[in-house]
Amino acid sequence: MAKNDTLKTASVLAFERKLDPSDALFRAGNWEDRAQVTQWAFIPVREKSVRGTISNRLKAKDQDPLKLDAAIENPNLQTVDVATLPHEADTLAVRFTLRVLAGAGTPSACNDAEYQKKLAQTVSGYVNEHGFDELAHRYACNLANGRFLWRNRIGAEEVEVVVSQMKEGQPEKTWTFNALEQSTRDFTGDAQTRELGGTIAQALAGKQYLLLDVVAFARIGAGQEVFPSQELILDRSRGDKSKTLYSIGDGDDKKAAIHSQKLGNALRTIDTWYPVPEDSNGLGPIAIEPYGSVTTQGTAYRQPNPGKGKEKLDFYNLLDNWLLKDQIPPVDQQHFVMATLIRGGVFGDAG
């Protein structure tokens, strides 16, 4: 590709996500009855009011014994949302659908024809050389290992994930995984994940339509609490619920669910190519994010200004160097850039 010194990043540049999950609904039943999951009852979200105790760290002025005794006598009443399995069911079922769309690397909006042409050449070069096999297999591994269950996966006695390729509303092909035997730390996988990954790669390349139906069963014990997404309430007033869970439906028909965004984050947790800090203690894969952001740690692992002598491995520097300066990144970082385009987002140089 010829270097073009006049080429600049488009000010309007946006990509639609190519892994498109639905919200996931929760049902409850017994492990032996997994084949009848469509007849299982949905898990409702209900309210619970409790009297809490003072447990937060006290300021120095409040550490007087008399003040602490007085604070403990003052009831800390809380109303929270909760979702649990009924006492006659030991298994949680989490179900969602996943569309895999073609057109990875093709912007949904771009106001610079020359930039779009160069982008198309670059993406085409990547696809011709590497295809989508590596990325698709990592997505398949995250379906197989049940990472999308988040906290519901932890401590489960058994976890089974059933992935069905749907055609005309019926399963055409099905893969069944023992999720606890699939690693969440690497993407070695097995013959089944490679076959599922191959199917996803074909869809990303536009060679076939693909809709997956995903059902995960987690045997966690009768009556145990389950964990839907928690809603972010920005303008909570005093006396409002201190925890609000995501549900689909109104009134008494509130079905516990996981946000599609949270599912998407789990499926794209495939980045093992970020610069690993010496004190990381084996962090493992992180979600594909332009700056390698891990919000639970308050850390961005792909800094645009990492310091003297260190490479700039954030998405924007990698993409600009690749397209504008013809500096082809190492293969691992090419995978990261393409995975970010599959994630989607608004990446224009509006400034």
Side-chain angles (χ1 to χ4, degrees):
M1 290 178 230
K3 185 177 180 179
N4 185 347
D5 294 334
T6 63
L7 191 65
K8 297 184 183 304
T9 302
S11 59
V12 176
L13 181 64
F15 297 82
E16 295 174 345
R17 62 178 176 270
K18 300 305 177 187
L19 297 181
D20 193 14
S22 68
D23 287 336
L25 281 172
F26 283 18
R27 293 177 185 256
N30 283 303
W31 183 258
E32 294 76 15
D33 302 327
R34 300 192 302 285
Q36 288 81 44
V37 65
T38 56
Q39 300 171 27
W40 290 13
F42 291 106
I43 297 178
V45 171
R46 54 188 171 84
E47 287 186 355
K48 178 189 286 186
S49 295
V50 297
R51 173 173 175 155
T53 57
I54 299 295
S55 58
N56 58 293
R57 186 185 298 271
L58 296 174
K59 296 179 181 177
K61 65 183 180 61
D62 296 325
Q63 293 182 4
D64 178 85
L66 294 178
K67 287 186 176 180
L68 181 56
D69 287 345
I72 290 175
E73 288 181 0
N74 187 27
N76 180 23
L77 303 181
Q78 301 175 31
T79 299
V80 298
D81 276 347
V82 66
T84 64
L85 294 180
H87 284 272
E88 62 275 14
D90 66 358
T91 299
L92 164 71
V94 177
R95 186 171 197 168
F96 64 97
T97 59
L98 173 67
R99 287 192 307 157
V100 182
L101 306 175
T106 302
S108 57
C110 180
N111 64 348
D112 187 322
E114 286 299 315
Y115 184 88
Q116 185 165 353
K117 181 180 177 182
K118 184 64 178 296
L119 177 63
Q121 292 174 345
T122 303
V123 170
S124 178
Y126 170 87
V127 174
N128 289 338
E129 187 169 358
H130 306 292
F132 291 106
D133 293 347
E134 177 64 30
L135 300 181
H137 182 245
R138 292 186 176 219
Y139 299 138
C141 287
N142 279 339
L143 287 170
N145 64 28
R147 187 191 296 276
F148 53 85
L149 291 171
W150 293 92
R151 192 175 172 185
N152 298 295
R153 187 182 188 278
I154 299 173
E157 181 184 3
E158 298 177 85
V159 179
E160 181 180 88
V161 178
V162 180
V163 182
S164 301
Q165 181 180 358
M166 304 300 290
K167 187 173 183 180
E168 297 178 350
Q170 299 296 323
E172 184 179 51
K173 183 171 180 55
T174 296
W175 297 265
T176 302
F177 301 96
N178 181 338
L180 298 183
E181 291 184 348
Q182 299 284 335
S183 175
T184 57
R185 307 290 294 178
D186 61 53
F187 299 99
T188 303
D190 56 24
Q192 280 211 106
T193 59
R194 282 187 284 277
E195 185 181 36
L196 176 57
T199 304
I200 294 173
Q202 291 282 309
L204 288 171
K207 296 180 180 177
Q208 69 171 16
Y209 167 82
L210 182 60
L211 174 68
L212 298 176
D213 178 85
V214 183
V215 189
F217 300 94
R219 189 172 192 171
I220 57 177
Q224 285 292 312
E225 185 174 5
V226 297
F227 302 97
S229 294
Q230 188 166 340
E231 296 281 59
L232 176 63
I233 309 296
L234 296 176
D235 55 348
R236 177 173 285 136
S237 304
R238 186 175 180 80
D240 288 350
K241 282 189 292 190
S242 56
K243 181 169 75 173
T244 304
L245 298 180
Y246 181 52
S247 60
I248 297 175
D250 300 316
D252 295 332
D253 189 32
K254 291 185 174 180
K255 306 178 183 73
I258 297 180
H259 292 151
S260 59
Q261 291 83 354
K262 193 167 183 176
L263 298 174
N265 182 286
L267 297 181
R268 69 171 185 271
T269 299
I270 63 170
D271 185 2
T272 55
W273 312 297
Y274 60 92
V276 179
E278 294 179 358
D279 58 350
S280 69
N281 196 26
L283 177 62
I286 64 175
I288 293 291
E289 294 290 335
Y291 296 114
S293 308
V294 180
T295 55
T296 53
Q297 298 185 356
T299 301
Y301 286 93
R302 291 178 174 273
Q303 294 282 344
N305 291 302
K308 189 176 181 180
K310 296 182 180 178
E311 289 185 273
K312 297 179 179 179
L313 296 179
D314 66 292
F315 167 72
Y316 295 101
N317 272 299
L318 288 169
L319 182 69
D320 289 351
N321 288 339
W322 197 357
L323 265 69
L324 306 184
K325 302 176 183 176
D326 289 331
Q327 296 176 3
I328 301 175
V331 174
D332 288 351
Q333 302 309 324
Q334 292 181 42
H335 292 326
F336 167 71
V337 171
M338 282 305 301
T340 308
L341 298 180
I342 291 171
R343 165 197 179 272
V346 179
F347 304 130
D349 188 10

